[in-house]
């Protein structure tokens, strides 16, 4: 297991380099002049424009710009934005907001998704089962930003249950955006759990356990659910990276000052260093949580071992 984890960690280096280069190239390909966008309606002196383009290496080609960027990146220098503020400061300020939002979303996704899937599988063909199937189909069909505005209007403005903007209300500020962010994933987890538990309940070892007189609760918790959780854990672990990326839309809709909102603002200003730094951090998180999922395999199923 130790050698396996070491190999996976070493593989993160070329993955981070490759992904950061692709992101850097896409930002580089954006049309427009970031210095002109920075100036707005106020014209800058040619000497100032030349100095800014030299400071941010904008006159270099893509390869040269990237080599300069990645050289500083591996020294802990994520670059600076056009206002002169280090990108690392932006990440340190926004990261706690995105982490809190992601934690709330994962809790909603895990608890509500698994609970709905298990009950739906145990009551297959019932009204509750049909309700889960219809509601999950609806959640998958509605875009996140549309669902966000609907949730703000109904649960925030009309009913006054949740705050609808900002982070001034502590953890309660993250409940509604966390629920919206988790909605799509929650639907997939519910469907995946339903299918997996239903297959496990029809397996021979479950019939054998029932014939031995084992209680239904123990059969479900100790046997069916544990064996059914492997594909669910796989999805949830891989989905953490997706939730981080999905935070771009959710944080913008709910005006949360997290990493997603920082990316949105940086794209509008064509600040490549900010976008590349934050998205590369997302890639690292994605790789890390996939590694955690691989380790959890051996916990859920003792037959799985890594040499």
């Amino acid at each position: 297991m130790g050698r396996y984890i070491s190999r996976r960690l070493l593989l993160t280096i070329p993955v981070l380099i490759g992904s950061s280069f692709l992101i850097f190239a896409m930002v580089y390909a954006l049309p427009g002049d970031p210095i002109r966008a920075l100036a707005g309606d106020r014209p800058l002196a040619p000497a100032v424009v030349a100095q800014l383009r030299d400071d941010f290496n904008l006159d270099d080609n893509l390869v040269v710009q990237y080599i300069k960027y990645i050289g500083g990146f591996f020294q802990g220098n994520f670059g600076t934005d056009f206002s002169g503020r280090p990108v690392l400061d932006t990440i340190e300020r926004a990261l706690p907001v995105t982490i809190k939002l992601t934690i709330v979303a994962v809790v909603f996704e895990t608890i509500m998704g698994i609970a709905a899937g298990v009950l739906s599988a145990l009551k297959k063909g019932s009204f509750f089962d049909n309700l889960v199937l219809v509601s999950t189909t609806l959640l998958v069909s509605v875009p996140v930003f549309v669902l966000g505005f609907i949730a703000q209007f109904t649960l925030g403005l009309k009913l006054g249950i949740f705050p609808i903007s900002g982070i001034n209300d502590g953890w309660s500020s993250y409940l509604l955006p966390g629920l919206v962010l988790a909605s799509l994933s929650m639907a997939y987890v519910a469907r995946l759990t339903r299918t997996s538990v239903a297959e496990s309940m029809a397996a021979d070892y479950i019939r054998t356990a029932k014939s031995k007189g084992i209680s239904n609760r123990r059969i479900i918790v100790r046997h069916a659910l544990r064996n059914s959780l492997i594909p669910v854990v796989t999805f949830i672990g891989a989905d953490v990276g997706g939730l981080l990326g999905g935070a771009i839309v959710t944080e913008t809709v709910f005006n949360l000052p997290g990493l997603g909102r920082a990316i949105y603002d940086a794209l509008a200003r064509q600040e490549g260093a900010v976008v590349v730094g934050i998205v590369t951090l997302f890639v690292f998180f994605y790789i890390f949580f996939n590694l955690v999922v691989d380790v959890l395999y051996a916990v859920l199923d003792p037959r799985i071992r890594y040499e």
Side-chain angles (χ1 to χ4, degrees), residues 193-216:
T193 304
R194 176 186 180 274
T195 302
S196 189
V197 171
E199 291 178 353
S200 296
M201 293 299 293
D204 292 338
Y205 70 90
I206 295 295
R207 287 193 291 268
T208 302
K210 290 180 178 180
S211 66
K212 291 181 178 181
I214 301 176
S215 64
N216 286 334

Side-chain angles (χ1 to χ4, degrees), residues 187-237:
Y188 284 127
V189 168
R191 284 178 167 267
L192 186 59
T193 304
R194 176 186 180 274
T195 302
S196 189
V197 171
E199 291 178 353
S200 296
M201 293 299 293
D204 292 338
Y205 70 90
I206 295 295
R207 287 193 291 268
T208 302
K210 290 180 178 180
S211 66
K212 291 181 178 181
I214 301 176
S215 64
N216 286 334
R217 181 177 179 181
R218 186 176 180 183
I219 289 174
I220 294 171
V221 175
R222 295 289 300 276
H223 299 284
L225 185 57
R226 182 173 181 178
N227 290 331
S228 303
L229 279 181
I230 291 180
V232 178
V233 168
T234 302
F235 176 83
I236 293 175

Side-chain angles (χ1 to χ4, degrees), residues 71-134:
F73 181 86
F74 282 108
Q75 296 176 7
N77 180 12
F78 284 60
T80 59
D81 59 21
F82 290 147
S83 63
R85 180 172 54 189
V87 175
L88 193 58
D89 289 352
T90 301
I91 293 176
E92 290 176 350
R93 174 182 52 82
L95 182 59
V97 175
T98 301
I99 288 178
K100 291 178 182 178
L101 177 63
T102 304
I103 289 174
V104 172
V106 170
V107 169
F108 277 128
E109 172 187 359
T110 304
I111 296 178
M112 298 179 67
I114 292 178
V118 171
L119 293 176
S120 181
L122 296 178
K123 299 180 179 181
K124 196 172 182 179
S126 66
F127 171 78
F128 181 82
D129 182 31
N130 292 326
L131 179 63
V132 170
L133 292 177
V134 171

Side-chain angles (χ1 to χ4, degrees), residues 11-155:
L11 284 174
T12 61
I13 298 176
V15 172
L16 288 175
I17 293 176
S19 59
S20 64
F21 178 75
L22 290 176
I23 299 163
F24 198 94
M26 287 187 286
V27 174
Y28 181 88
L30 289 175
D33 187 352
I35 301 300
R36 181 176 296 177
L38 175 66
D41 296 330
R42 299 172 301 173
L44 296 177
V48 175
V49 173
Q51 183 62 46
L52 288 173
R53 296 190 67 86
D54 181 68
D55 291 341
F56 294 102
N57 305 313
L58 296 179
D59 291 325
D60 297 327
N61 60 44
L62 170 63
V63 177
V64 174
Q65 284 191 38
Y66 179 73
I67 290 175
K68 291 180 179 179
Y69 172 80
I70 202 66
F73 181 86
F74 282 108
Q75 296 176 7
N77 180 12
F78 284 60
T80 59
D81 59 21
F82 290 147
S83 63
R85 180 172 54 189
V87 175
L88 193 58
D89 289 352
T90 301
I91 293 176
E92 290 176 350
R93 174 182 52 82
L95 182 59
V97 175
T98 301
I99 288 178
K100 291 178 182 178
L101 177 63
T102 304
I103 289 174
V104 172
V106 170
V107 169
F108 277 128
E109 172 187 359
T110 304
I111 296 178
M112 298 179 67
I114 292 178
V118 171
L119 293 176
S120 181
L122 296 178
K123 299 180 179 181
K124 196 172 182 179
S126 66
F127 171 78
F128 181 82
D129 182 31
N130 292 326
L131 179 63
V132 170
L133 292 177
V134 171
S135 59
T136 53
T137 301
L138 183 63
L139 288 176
V140 171
S141 304
V142 179
V144 173
F145 69 91
V146 174
L147 188 62
F149 287 124
I150 294 174
Q152 281 181 319
F153 181 75
T154 56
L155 300 178

